Amino acid sequence: MPTANFFAKLTSLLKGFWSLPDLSYYHIKAIFYRHLLVFKKTWLSNIMFNFIEPVLYLWAMGIGLGTYVALENGIPYIQFIGPALTASSAMFATCYEATYGSFTRMGPQKVFHSMAATPASVEDVVMGEIVYGVFKGTLYGLVFLLVVALFGLVKSPWVLLVPLPLILMTGVFANLSLVWTSLAPNYDSYNYFFTLVISPMFLVCGVFFPLESLPPVFRTLAWFAPLYHAVEVVRPLVLGSLKPSCWHHLAWLFCCFILTLRFPLIMLKNRLVN
């Protein structure tokens, strides 16, 4: 029957899409190490670019505006935004790396093509980009967390678990950013990504004010944003106010990472091959 044949083809297509290709740990490690060697030469300028702005937010809004803001739960405003800015700093670092950085390696520098000419597959190259994006985002988030600690905002030893939500969140953003990179015709197209996707997420995902203060439609939209779930885990870990819902947020981030992982692997491969 035509209908049965259609569903058989659809099932086969979905299985092929979601099944991961054969990835080489050795090749991915070598690609990641190559990126680390480059990072060693530019680490200071890279960190300053993603580090100064969150610090200014923490100083201006936490200390300046914070003197005029009173939260219902009695937490000082700087304690409210400090942990959240840790997550947003990691988000921006990963997005910048997996967009502008990856596009430069793929286009003008032709690094992707050079690596794909070795025994490493295109999927290995893309997976190396994802791992490197997670590394940079987590690193920058932890650097900012150190600033939060210097401000005296860390209230719990659970802060040692902060890398877990940062790794999961940056993994999701690395996937999404590389999907955009697979479609981007030039650098200017990233203005749409950051202006229409990342910046609104930064503003309405509970970084600067509780989500409960938003209209229901915005609360629903924020629930689909990876940053919101990371903030809802990082803040309790830093302040020592853990809730059972933290496990739900971690599970959401993990599932979102798994569900989005296949997209950059396929879409970037199609762009490089075609």
Side-chain angles (χ1 to χ4, degrees):
M1 295 177 61
T3 304
N5 187 40
F6 169 77
F7 281 109
K9 291 182 177 180
L10 179 61
T11 302
S12 176
L13 178 63
L14 291 175
K15 286 182 179 179
F17 185 85
W18 291 116
S19 60
L20 288 176
D22 292 331
L23 298 172
S24 169
Y25 168 77
Y26 175 79
H27 294 150
I28 295 172
K29 179 181 177 181
I31 293 167
F32 175 66
Y33 181 67
R34 179 264 171 200
H35 294 335
L36 281 184
L37 293 178
V38 177
F39 179 66
K40 284 175 62 177
K41 300 179 180 179
T42 61
W43 68 271
L44 183 59
S45 60
N46 271 270
I47 287 182
M48 289 300 103
F49 181 69
N50 291 279
F51 175 74
I52 293 178
E53 185 175 1
V55 171
L56 291 177
Y57 273 114
L58 183 63
W59 174 75
M61 303 194 70
I63 298 178
L65 181 63
T67 58
Y68 303 98
V69 176
L71 299 175
E72 292 182 358
N73 53 16
I75 298 176
Y77 188 61
I78 191 172
Q79 286 188 11
F80 181 81
I81 68 169
L85 287 173
T86 298
S88 66
S89 179
M91 174 190 72
F92 277 110
T94 296
C95 290
Y96 282 127
E97 184 57 44
T99 52
Y100 292 106
S102 295
F103 187 86
T104 300
R105 289 187 287 272
M106 178 181 65
Q109 295 180 351
K110 301 295 183 183
V111 174
F112 280 18
H113 299 75
S114 300
M115 291 189 293
T118 69
S121 66
V122 176
E123 289 90 347
D124 293 333
V125 175
V126 177
M127 197 66 196
E129 290 291 309
I130 294 173
V131 172
Y132 184 58
V134 170
F135 164 77
K136 285 195 70 174
T138 304
L139 174 64
Y140 287 23
L142 294 179
V143 170
F144 188 79
L145 182 61
L146 177 61
V147 175
V148 171
L150 293 176
F151 271 80
L153 305 180
V154 175
K155 304 299 180 181
S156 169
W158 289 109
V159 71
L160 297 176
L161 296 180
V162 165
L164 177 58
L166 293 186
I167 290 173
L168 293 175
M169 179 198 68
T170 53
V172 177
F173 279 113
N175 292 342
L176 298 178
S177 300
L178 287 172
V179 166
W180 195 281
T181 296
S182 71
L183 303 172
N186 49 51
Y187 287 107
D188 292 336
S189 62
Y190 289 118
N191 294 332
Y192 296 100
F193 179 65
F194 283 96
T195 302
L196 300 179
V197 179
I198 301 302
S199 293
M201 198 180 304
F202 176 55
L203 295 174
V204 300
C205 284
V207 175
F208 297 107
F209 46 83
L211 209 62
E212 291 75 15
S213 61
L214 293 176
V217 62
F218 288 103
R219 292 202 299 268
T220 302
L221 291 175
W223 188 88
F224 290 96
L227 178 61
Y228 162 70
H229 296 278
V231 167
E232 289 299 305
V233 178
V234 172
R235 184 177 285 136
L237 289 176
V238 174
L239 301 181
S241 54
L242 290 178
K243 304 175 183 177
S245 60
C246 290
W247 292 108
H248 302 157
H249 295 298
L250 288 173
W252 190 98
L253 289 170
F254 176 77
C255 292
C256 190
F257 171 71
I258 297 300
L259 291 174
T260 58
L261 178 60
R262 190 66 172 127
F263 288 95
L265 293 175
I266 285 183
M267 297 176 72
L268 272 173
K269 180 179 180 179
N270 290 340
R271 173 160 184 169
L272 291 173
V273 172
N274 300 329

